[in-house]
């Protein structure tokens, strides 16, 4: 049951397709009472998906390829009919699923604006009032009066996005629509989406860009093999998703609630584990507060429970939103441990903390190569939480500190 604060209500959505479906199967379904297709002829894509999105909330939907994300959004937008369940909307909806789809190739850009604008709910008068704004945002110049079949895919994306977002919707649904555009237009479009959110638009966002999900979304939903696996803060859900990507036989994935209400994800096969992780100053004292630009040591105390042919230690520093600010590992520094026997060892990394101020966390991993997708011995999110403050540098803003020097040069004809 919905309430007045709901913008989108998804209720028990299931979707399955018939595979290897023959005329005989159709005949049996029509004329034999009680007949049902055998399981091998039914492919279930989604199974009992339910959730609600509040007004003004931004929700990211993530999952591996084949998890059912795009199918779910197509059902939500009405382009695909669910096998069971229902979707309810409360407000004006704009969907960016496959940008450029639906444009008439022989119509000019301007003619397509008139046609597609009406399809997204604008009146002819509204479209004419917005025409200049749409042209300016698309930035395709004189091509606006050329047939769309002469456009590159990037130009089609620019025009379609400009049309779909000409009027701020109550609900905006985006499915990897911006991944095919150029970097400049991706950034420009992403900024417009953020502005919509700030103005109260409800956002449903599917993307493989985890940084975008963490930056813009208030909540994330994880789909796995067509089922609703979990939901929560984006950083927590993405940590669990990263563990699933590396899932292998005998690997465990668990989540532990920390004292500050955060949830840490720990995964791995367990041949080697990190027993403790510390942040040290130059005097090798344990610290929890770091000054901008301070030299620190990350100390990982490792226990190899079995013989490991190659051991790689890596770490990533994340900001409070879970976005990686910096990461590296011993593989890239040609400092791997070969033929590690059962026992204990310590690996240290020395670095200068040139992040901005705020709270940060440390993610650490033990693997056999440059990636955790092969032989993920252990992966620990939120292994350590620390705070960076500015005690000695000039005031600055942003996520990183860059040592800057200003010079004042009197007027001269020689200045380049």
């Amino acid at each position: 049951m919905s309430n007045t604060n709901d913008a989108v209500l998804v209720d028990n959505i299931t979707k399955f397709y018939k595979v290897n479906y023959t005329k005989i199967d159709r005949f049996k379904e029509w004329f034999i009472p009680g007949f049902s297709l055998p399981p091998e002829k039914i492919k279930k894509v989604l199974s009992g998906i339910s959730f609600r999105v509040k007004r003004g909330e931004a929700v990211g939907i993530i999952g591996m390829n084949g998890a059912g994300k795009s199918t779910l959004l197509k059902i939500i937008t009405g382009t695909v009919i669910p096998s069971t369940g229902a979707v309810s909307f409360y407000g004006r909806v704009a969907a960016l699923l496959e940008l450029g789809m639906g444009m008439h190739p022989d119509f000019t850009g301007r003619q397509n604006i008139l046609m597609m604008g009406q399809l997204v709910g604008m009146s002819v008068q509204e479209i004419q009032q917005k025409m200049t704004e749409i042209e300016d945002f698309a930035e395709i110049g004189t091509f606006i009066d050329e047939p769309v079949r002469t456009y590159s895919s990037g130009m089609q994306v620019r025009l379609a996005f400009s049309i779909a977002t000409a009027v701020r919707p109550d609900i905006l649904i985006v499915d990897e629509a911006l991944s095919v555009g150029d970097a400049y237009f991706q950034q420009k479009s992403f900024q417009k989406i953020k502005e919509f959110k700030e103005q109260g638009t409800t956002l449903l966002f599917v993307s493989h860009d985890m940084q975008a999900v963490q930056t813009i979304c208030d909540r994330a939903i994880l789909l796995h093999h067509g089922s609703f696996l979990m939901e929560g803060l984006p950083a927590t859900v993405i940590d669990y998703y990263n563990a699933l990507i590396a899932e292998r036989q005998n690997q465990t994935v668990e989540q532990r609630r920390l004292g500050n209400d955060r949830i840490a994800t720990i995964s791995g096969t367990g041949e080697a584990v990190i027993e403790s992780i510390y942040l040290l100053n130059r005097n090798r004292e344990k610290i929890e507060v770091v000054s901008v630009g301070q030299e620190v040591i990350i100390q990982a105390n490792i226990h190899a429970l079995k013989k490991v042919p190659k051991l790689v230690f890596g770490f990533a520093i994340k900001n409070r939103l879970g976005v990686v600010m910096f990461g590296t590992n011993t593989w890239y520094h040609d400092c791997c441990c070969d033929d590690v026997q059962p026992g204990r060892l310590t690996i240290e990394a020395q670095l200068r903390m040139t992040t901005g101020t705020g709270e940060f966390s440390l993610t650490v991993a033990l693997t056999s190569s440059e990636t955790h997708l092969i032989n993920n011995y252990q992966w620990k999110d939120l292994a350590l939480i620390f705070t960076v403050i500015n005690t000695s540098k000039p005031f600055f803003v942003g996520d990183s500190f860059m040592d800057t020097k200003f010079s004042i040069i009197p007027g001269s004809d020689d200045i380049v």
Side-chain angles (χ1 to χ4, degrees):
M1 182 177 293
S2 67
N3 59 53
T4 56
N5 200 33
D6 285 338
V8 182
L9 181 61
V10 176
D11 183 24
N12 196 32
I13 292 294
T14 297
K15 180 63 180 177
F16 58 83
Y17 293 99
K18 299 171 183 177
V19 295
N20 299 322
Y21 189 63
T22 65
K23 293 180 180 179
I24 294 176
D25 293 325
R26 184 182 298 112
F27 178 85
K28 290 179 178 178
E29 283 187 317
W30 286 356
F31 297 109
I32 300 179
F35 173 81
S36 59
L37 290 172
E40 62 269 16
K41 291 200 172 188
I42 298 176
K43 180 181 179 181
K44 185 169 283 189
V45 180
L46 294 171
S47 179
I49 306 294
S50 297
F51 63 88
R52 61 182 63 200
V53 183
K54 297 178 182 177
R55 295 182 188 273
E57 187 180 22
V59 175
I61 300 176
I62 65 174
M64 289 180 271
N65 290 333
K69 307 183 298 298
S70 295
T71 301
L72 176 60
L73 284 201
K74 288 175 181 177
I75 289 174
I76 291 174
T77 55
T79 59
V80 171
I81 298 174
S83 300
T84 64
V87 178
S88 301
F89 289 112
Y90 304 92
R92 178 174 181 167
V93 181
L96 306 176
L97 301 185
E98 297 178 37
L99 290 181
M101 188 174 180
M103 284 191 181
H104 196 295
D106 293 323
F107 286 4
T108 66
R110 197 180 304 278
Q111 289 170 327
N112 271 287
I113 291 174
L114 286 167
M115 179 183 70
M116 294 188 66
Q118 293 177 74
L119 290 176
V120 299
M122 288 191 285
S123 66
V124 174
Q125 184 178 3
E126 273 185 301
I127 298 168
Q128 290 172 339
Q129 290 173 346
K130 291 282 185 179
M131 184 68 75
T132 301
E133 183 181 324
I134 293 170
E135 289 181 52
D136 291 344
F137 194 90
E139 294 186 34
I140 60 175
T142 57
F143 276 95
I144 195 71
D145 291 310
E146 298 293 332
V148 166
R149 56 181 163 76
T150 66
Y151 290 13
S152 66
S153 59
M155 291 167 66
Q156 291 186 42
V157 166
R158 286 170 176 262
L159 184 59
F161 183 90
S162 303
I163 297 168
T165 59
V167 177
R168 184 182 73 82
D170 298 310
I171 303 164
L172 179 62
I173 300 173
V174 184
D175 179 16
E176 295 287 2
L178 308 180
S179 61
V180 294
D182 60 74
Y184 163 74
F185 194 74
Q186 285 181 27
Q187 184 176 6
K188 183 178 177 179
S189 303
F190 190 69
Q191 183 59 38
K192 188 158 191 176
I193 291 172
K194 287 171 63 177
E195 289 173 2
F196 279 172
K197 179 179 181 292
E198 291 166 1
Q199 293 166 8
T201 293
T202 302
L203 178 65
L204 261 180
F205 187 62
V206 164
S207 179
H208 285 100
D209 184 347
M210 296 299 108
Q211 183 168 334
V213 173
Q214 289 172 317
T215 301
I216 202 170
C217 294
D218 306 305
R219 181 163 53 104
I221 292 171
L222 177 59
L223 298 185
H224 191 56
H225 297 319
S227 297
F228 185 105
L229 189 58
M230 69 176 297
E231 67 176 329
L233 293 174
T236 301
V237 176
I238 289 170
D239 288 343
Y240 196 87
Y241 168 70
N242 286 331
L244 284 181
I245 291 176
E247 188 175 18
R248 294 292 186 272
Q249 188 178 8
N250 299 324
Q251 174 171 301
T252 61
V253 179
E254 63 172 307
Q255 291 191 310
R256 296 178 185 173
R257 186 172 294 277
L258 306 180
N260 54 7
D261 288 334
R262 297 187 183 186
I263 298 175
T265 301
I266 303 172
S267 64
T269 54
E271 284 92 334
V273 298
I274 299 172
E275 292 188 322
S276 60
I277 186 86
Y278 300 114
L279 197 61
L280 310 176
N281 61 20
R282 288 200 297 181
N283 297 325
R284 306 191 69 79
E285 300 166 327
K286 297 177 186 177
I287 56 175
E288 294 181 356
V289 178
V290 181
S291 180
V292 174
Q294 179 179 346
E295 289 186 4
V296 298
I297 299 168
I298 297 172
Q299 183 188 85
N301 298 301
I302 299 163
H303 187 189
L305 303 174
K306 296 180 180 180
K307 181 179 178 180
V308 177
K310 185 179 288 291
L311 185 65
V312 175
F313 168 72
F315 70 89
I317 297 172
K318 298 181 179 180
N319 66 12
R320 63 181 181 83
L321 297 176
V323 177
V324 175
M325 307 303 298
F326 175 78
T328 190
N329 61 39
T330 56
W331 176 281
Y332 294 116
H333 290 258
D334 196 23
C335 188
C336 303
C337 301
D338 296 319
D339 297 321
V340 177
Q341 301 299 316
R344 287 178 168 82
L345 71 153
T346 297
I347 297 178
E348 293 184 345
Q350 185 174 340
L351 66 151
R352 189 177 295 275
M353 195 63 66
T354 57
T355 66
T357 59
E359 189 177 70
F360 296 84
S361 67
L362 198 67
T363 293
V364 292
L366 296 176
T367 65
S368 65
S369 65
E370 76 274 21
T371 173
H372 74 292
L373 300 180
I374 302 173
N375 294 332
N376 174 34
Y377 301 132
Q378 189 179 55
W379 176 287
K380 273 188 173 184
D381 287 297
L382 298 175
L384 186 69
I385 297 173
F386 60 94
T387 302
V388 177
I389 61 175
N390 187 8
T391 60
S392 60
K393 305 297 182 185
F395 174 79
F396 69 96
V397 296
D399 291 326
S400 61
F401 170 73
M402 298 183 183
D403 204 0
T404 306
K405 294 181 180 180
F406 289 98
S407 299
I408 299 176
I409 305 171
S412 171
D413 294 336
D414 297 331
I415 296 177
V416 177

